[in-house]
Amino acid sequence: MVKKITSSLERPIKASVNYLNFYYGGTTHALKDITMPVGDKQVTALIGPSGCGKTTLLRCFNRMHDLYPGNRYKGEIALEPDGINLLSNKIDPIEVRMRISMVFQRPNPFPKSIYENVAYGLRVRGESKRGVIDEKVEKALRRAALWNEVKDRLNDLAFNLSGGQQQRLCIARALATDPEIVLFDEPTSALDPIATSSIEELISQLKEKVTILIVTHSMQQAARVSDYTAFMYLGELVEFGKTEVIFNNPLNKKTLDYVNGRFG
Ligand SMILES: Nc1ncnc2c1ncn2[C@@H]1O[C@H](COP(=O)(O)OP(=O)(O)O)[C@@H](O)[C@H]1O
Ligand SMILES: [Mg+2]
């Protein structure tokens, strides 16, 4: 396993994936012995051809697969500093999703106001003081670089925002509960180039405070936003390392072919 890691982390580790296997309903063995670190307050990109398991791996981190019966995890994802195994059946997936939130491929705001979209997770957590919620909604919208555009229309329906604004709203919603890790699954695939670059810039800023994992099919995006890159193929981790090493000087021939656009 260790031979797949081309360069060690220069940062403390936020999570370590250890011999993780994942099965969809007992038949599809979608992840095979994945072992890799996730650097604290770094951006880690998951790349690889369609169907290689990127989304499956990302969704293990917030126990999304628990929502469907028959799915099975083996191995562990240890969350630091406490070292708990996120995949243990002793761990409540709802708790995990408070600590690790997710932004999806297509902006998916709730059919509610801008304000209520961000306040939602706080209310679910039991927060009811208006002043506290106001403050946290503003903070999350500021962190998502959306506050200035929406501060005078917080009661507008979220659907009235542009696609890029809706995605930043979903990022604000994901940030509102102060998660330790935010998962992004191809967050710009439904956006135009301008909205895409604003989300990429935002991701680079967010890592000051939060650990980020991002799935992307765009190698340019991985190269622009990530510190570390994991290249996956057919459910396996082929190579993990610093992004510049993966893109310029990978150990594995398959990684080299993929980053040079020779397949996938
Ligand atoms: N809900 C599901 N049930 C069964 N198999 C699935 C399901 N979702 C994905 N898969 C399979 O798992 C593998 C990995 O898929 P996925 O993680 O979505 O890949 P990627 O995100 O890299 O395109 C693929 O073979 C896919 O067909
Ligand atoms: Mg996917």
Side-chain angles (χ1 to χ4, degrees), residues 30-41:
L31 298 177
K32 297 171 185 161
D33 281 337
I34 305 289
T35 294
M36 60 177 269
V38 177
D40 188 37
K41 301 195 176 73

Side-chain angles (χ1 to χ4, degrees), residues 20-244:
L20 170 64
N21 286 268
F22 181 79
Y23 306 82
Y24 283 108
T27 47
T28 310
H29 188 181
L31 298 177
K32 297 171 185 161
D33 281 337
I34 305 289
T35 294
M36 60 177 269
V38 177
D40 188 37
K41 301 195 176 73
Q42 297 281 279
V43 178
T44 300
L46 305 176
I47 64 167
S50 182
C52 71
K54 305 179 295 295
T55 295
T56 304
L57 175 56
L58 198 73
R59 287 174 172 233
C60 289
F61 278 83
N62 71 344
R63 299 273 300 266
M64 284 281 284
H65 300 298
D66 291 43
L67 302 173
Y68 306 92
N71 290 341
R72 192 160 58 88
Y73 311 91
K74 218 178 91 193
E76 69 166 15
I77 300 177
L79 187 65
E80 303 300 346
D82 35 359
I84 61 160
N85 177 13
L86 291 176
L87 304 177
S88 158
N89 50 22
K90 295 189 196 81
I91 301 288
D92 178 1
I94 311 280
E95 277 297 309
V96 171
R97 287 177 214 131
M98 295 288 185
R99 296 178 66 176
I100 303 179
S101 59
M102 179 140 180
V103 175
F104 296 85
Q105 229 166 315
R106 296 196 159 267
N108 60 345
F110 303 133
K112 291 172 183 285
S113 68
I114 294 167
Y115 181 95
E116 284 303 327
N117 263 274
V118 185
Y120 180 83
L122 301 166
R123 296 197 204 280
V124 168
R125 271 195 142 173
E127 185 55 69
S128 59
K129 291 192 209 75
R130 181 73 198 208
V132 174
I133 297 178
D134 280 354
E135 196 180 298
K136 292 195 170 180
V137 166
E138 176 173 343
K139 187 174 155 215
L141 286 167
R142 284 190 187 279
R143 283 179 75 191
L146 190 59
W147 176 251
N148 288 335
E149 288 155 67
V150 301
K151 62 176 191 281
D152 300 320
R153 50 185 293 207
L154 291 173
N155 295 319
D156 257 23
L157 201 59
F159 296 144
N160 293 335
L161 297 170
S162 72
Q165 288 173 323
Q166 288 188 27
Q167 194 61 314
R168 278 180 282 141
L169 180 65
C170 293
I171 294 172
R173 184 176 68 190
L175 292 171
T177 51
D178 267 324
E180 295 158 54
I181 302 180
V182 181
L183 310 171
F184 290 87
D185 194 353
E186 304 201 17
T188 62
S189 60
L191 304 180
D192 64 46
I194 291 172
T196 295
S197 70
S198 76
I199 300 277
E200 288 182 2
E201 198 177 308
L202 179 56
I203 287 172
S204 304
Q205 288 163 14
L206 289 176
K207 74 173 182 187
E208 280 176 29
K209 295 222 171 90
V210 73
T211 297
I212 291 171
L213 265 170
I214 178 172
V215 167
T216 177
H217 64 257
S218 155
M219 282 181 278
Q220 291 80 1
Q221 182 165 75
R224 282 193 296 264
V225 305
S226 72
D227 303 289
Y228 291 90
T229 296
F231 169 59
M232 298 173 68
Y233 185 65
L234 298 176
E236 295 188 47
L237 176 69
V238 175
E239 190 166 347
F240 169 89
K242 288 189 88 157
T243 296
E244 68 242 34

